[in-house]
Amino acid sequence: MALEDKISALPDDILLTILSLLTLKQAVATSILSQRWRYLWTSLHTLNFRYEEILHRNDGDTDNEWGCKIYGANYMERFKQVVNQVLRSHKALKLHDFGIHYPLDASCGDLIDIWVAFAIAFKVSKLELNFSTNQVPIWVCSFKNYSFPLDLFDKTKTIEPYLVQLDRVFSVCAPPLNVDNGFECFRELFLKSVDLTDEQFETILSSCTFLECLHVLYSSRLVNVKHAVPHMKLKSLEMYRCFQLKKLEIFAPNLVSFKYLGPKINISVKDAKQLVHACMRSNWETWEFSRPNPLSLPNMQRGDFVFGQFAAYLPQIEHLVMDASSFGGKKVLDNGPLLYNLRHLSLSSLNYAHGPFGMLDCYEMLASFVKFELYPLQDPKLRRIAVSPHNYLKEVLVSGFYGNKLVVDLIMVVFDFAIELEKIEISTAYLGDPSKCTISLKPDDDFLVRKSIERLHERMPAKAQLYILDGL
């Protein structure tokens, strides 16, 4: 028996597992293999519609040309047709994963409502709406984000009108949906460039009591987010670049990971005894602190943003990501080692108000965490650290590297105090921040980077390895 025949003879469940490892386009393409495969893809439990997989990009298209195409009427209509055709053919009784990845806006709201209702009706576990316009030139965007109606996530209301639309538009008869348990399977929600109001945010958490992960990016209508009732299942909360947000209060006793990137605001994470991963990032300039806000709340000072608001959780934190500028040069740890369980520390210095010497904040941070003493040299902009050994630091990643002397000196300081260092990785890209892109190095910059790398190789500890990322 040929291998193809052996594979085709496998039970449907196994074949569907194989298909789920493919892109949706590849899975649909298997329908031409044989009669056995013709309709198998229609029972997939995972439906992720990604424009880069569905639409054709010519080899000669520049990024701007491609962005204009995917935001144009022809390509957008083609994408919507593909989604509708697949949903009409869908046969599975349940969805594990449903995603729409295309720069759609409020003008497509009625259709998106039906897609979301489809996912909810089939008791989706993970729903992802990614309407980011990152690939689209700024001059062709409408800038009006989609916002789904409150009814879709409100137990006190009915989604029956949306189910009727499902039957009318797709000829899909949705399975019976009891609003009291319709969200029992709902575990993960990812919203990118989707507008939520404060009320919608609260409704989602109140209705989706089994929700474990909530990630929100570029929501422009959130201002005063508050969820006072304990959400017992929520384990991961990520809030990125919601620029109107002024206050965030969450009561999640089992929260494990909290990540925030945006302006310095008042954040209250209540009773998170399981919290071990924290990311608190703000690259806003210092003048931002003096700006008034409509809630008349006090603006957060530099050190208070992390060490003030999260002071109660510092002893249990294992992974901490923050800006060195948030520290502000204060030795907040002088009264004792608060970070008892810290395993991974990620520092950035991107505060433009400090110019190229923002890395001095990293010096201050290192001095406080490993109990160094700082003293100035003749040049007040440069400082040195009197080195004491650190017995546990084994891996270091430096991103956004372009060979300037201050950063090279900082890395050499790490070489001196990290006596157990095993690996250091250096990248010219800003890692972990969706707003940053790879640095375009000019010939002179490239030479500086390479010479700096040579200097670091000369000073490397004997047992440590230096890895250069991005093809340097």
Side-chain angles (χ1 to χ4, degrees):
M1 180 183 295
L3 179 60
E4 305 92 279
D5 295 332
K6 291 181 178 179
I7 294 176
S8 297
L10 294 172
D12 283 0
D13 289 347
I14 295 178
L15 294 181
L16 286 172
T17 299
I18 295 173
L19 288 184
S20 68
L21 302 176
L22 306 176
T23 67
L24 182 59
K25 184 176 181 179
Q26 291 169 338
V28 174
T30 63
S31 62
I32 66 172
L33 294 178
S34 68
Q35 187 66 26
R36 171 80 168 87
W37 291 83
R38 186 174 181 183
Y39 299 108
L40 193 61
W41 68 270
T42 63
S43 297
L44 280 169
H45 297 291
T46 296
L47 297 177
N48 271 305
F49 299 92
R50 303 180 186 276
Y51 69 86
E52 62 267 34
E53 297 171 359
I54 293 174
L55 304 176
H56 175 68
R57 177 175 181 172
N58 296 324
D59 293 339
D61 285 347
T62 66
D63 289 342
N64 275 346
E65 290 171 340
W66 173 237
C68 290
K69 283 184 177 180
I70 63 177
Y71 206 72
N74 292 338
Y75 273 50
M76 191 174 293
E77 190 60 31
R78 172 59 181 157
F79 180 85
K80 291 189 287 188
Q81 288 176 357
V82 170
V83 175
N84 290 345
Q85 289 170 0
V86 171
L87 298 191
R88 288 189 183 100
S89 304
H90 186 256
K91 305 297 182 184
L93 297 178
K94 187 185 182 311
L95 279 174
H96 296 314
D97 191 341
F98 183 86
I100 303 290
H101 305 261
Y102 198 97
L104 301 174
D105 58 19
S107 65
C108 302
D110 291 342
L111 185 56
I112 298 172
D113 289 346
I114 300 176
W115 291 345
V116 175
F118 180 96
I120 293 174
F122 285 89
K123 298 185 177 181
V124 69
S125 297
K126 176 183 176 181
L127 174 63
E128 184 168 4
L129 301 179
N130 181 355
F131 301 143
S132 170
T133 57
N134 285 347
Q135 295 292 327
V136 182
I138 192 170
W139 59 85
V140 302
C141 299
S142 70
F143 292 104
K144 189 173 182 181
N145 285 349
Y146 163 78
S147 178
F148 48 65
L150 203 60
D151 302 7
L152 285 171
F153 287 94
D154 193 340
K155 284 186 176 182
T156 66
K157 301 178 181 179
T158 176
I159 70 168
E160 188 64 30
Y162 300 102
L163 302 185
V164 171
Q165 285 287 89
L166 277 177
D167 191 25
R168 184 179 68 82
V169 176
F170 299 140
S171 299
V172 171
C173 184
L177 179 65
N178 183 339
V179 293
D180 292 329
N181 62 18
F183 300 107
E184 284 186 355
C185 298
F186 206 45
R187 296 291 186 270
E188 301 177 70
L189 179 60
F190 296 79
L191 302 176
K192 188 171 184 179
S193 294
V194 174
D195 275 351
L196 293 176
T197 63
D198 298 340
E199 183 183 7
Q200 287 173 326
F201 189 98
E202 167 62 19
T203 298
I204 289 173
L205 286 184
S206 298
S207 300
C208 306
T209 54
F210 289 85
L211 191 67
E212 296 179 2
C213 299
L214 176 59
H215 300 176
V216 180
L217 174 65
Y218 291 121
S219 179
S220 62
R221 298 175 64 189
L222 292 174
V223 180
N224 183 15
V225 172
K226 184 176 182 179
H227 186 69
V229 178
H231 195 294
M232 303 308 296
K233 296 292 185 179
L234 191 64
K235 295 180 180 179
S236 176
L237 176 62
E238 298 187 11
M239 304 287 290
Y240 296 130
R241 301 191 177 279
C242 301
F243 292 121
Q244 301 305 314
L245 189 61
K246 306 300 178 184
K247 188 176 182 181
L248 173 63
E249 294 185 38
I250 294 293
F251 190 177
N254 292 301
L255 194 68
V256 174
S257 175
F258 175 77
K259 298 181 180 181
Y260 173 83
L261 173 63
K264 289 180 170 65
I265 63 171
N266 291 76
I267 297 175
S268 174
V269 179
K270 185 179 179 182
D271 199 30
K273 293 183 173 64
Q274 308 301 318
L275 187 66
V276 294
H277 300 265
C279 173
M280 298 283 281
R281 295 284 308 280
S282 174
N283 296 334
W284 290 50
E285 298 187 9
T286 52
W287 55 261
E288 177 67 20
F289 304 146
S290 62
R291 291 175 61 184
N293 62 66
L295 299 175
S296 299
L297 297 170
N299 289 300
M300 297 308 304
Q301 299 303 310
R302 296 172 72 188
D304 295 336
F305 184 55
V306 177
F307 293 99
Q309 301 192 91
F310 272 68
Y313 300 117
L314 291 181
Q316 68 193 50
I317 294 294
E318 296 180 5
H319 299 259
L320 177 62
V321 180
M322 61 179 290
D323 297 322
S325 59
S326 298
F327 185 69
K330 300 177 182 179
K331 294 186 180 181
V332 296
L333 303 183
D334 280 349
N335 295 329
L338 300 180
L339 297 162
Y340 300 116
N341 290 296
L342 191 65
R343 299 291 182 269
H344 179 275
L345 173 65
S346 178
L347 299 177
S348 65
S349 183
L350 300 175
N351 192 318
Y352 302 118
H354 289 182
F357 295 101
M359 286 304 294
L360 294 177
D361 284 323
C362 284
Y363 276 177
E364 297 279 0
M365 285 291 294
L366 288 170
S368 185
F369 280 122
V370 299
K371 300 302 180 186
F372 292 155
E373 295 295 331
L374 302 182
Y375 58 89
L377 293 178
Q378 291 180 348
D379 185 343
K381 294 179 180 179
L382 294 177
R383 304 180 183 186
R384 294 179 66 88
I385 298 177
V387 177
S388 300
H390 193 286
N391 297 318
Y392 301 102
L393 186 62
K394 295 184 178 181
E395 296 185 13
V396 173
L397 169 62
V398 178
S399 65
F401 180 82
Y402 57 97
N404 60 317
K405 183 178 183 301
L406 196 60
V407 178
V408 173
D409 287 346
L410 177 61
I411 296 173
M412 288 186 177
V413 167
V414 173
F415 289 165
D416 290 336
F417 77 73
I419 60 177
E420 295 296 328
L421 186 67
E422 297 177 355
K423 179 172 71 172
I424 182 165
E425 295 182 346
I426 295 178
S427 168
T428 58
Y430 286 108
L431 304 178
D433 186 342
S435 72
K436 303 298 177 183
C437 60
T438 302
I439 299 174
S440 297
L441 296 175
K442 300 176 182 178
D444 290 345
D445 296 330
D446 183 69
F447 176 77
L448 177 61
V449 168
R450 295 181 185 279
K451 294 298 291 184
S452 299
I453 294 297
E454 290 177 9
R455 287 187 59 205
L456 293 176
H457 270 296
E458 293 172 358
R459 282 285 306 277
M460 281 286 295
K463 63 179 180 180
Q465 296 293 321
L466 177 62
Y467 295 90
I468 310 302
L469 309 181
D470 305 324
L472 289 178

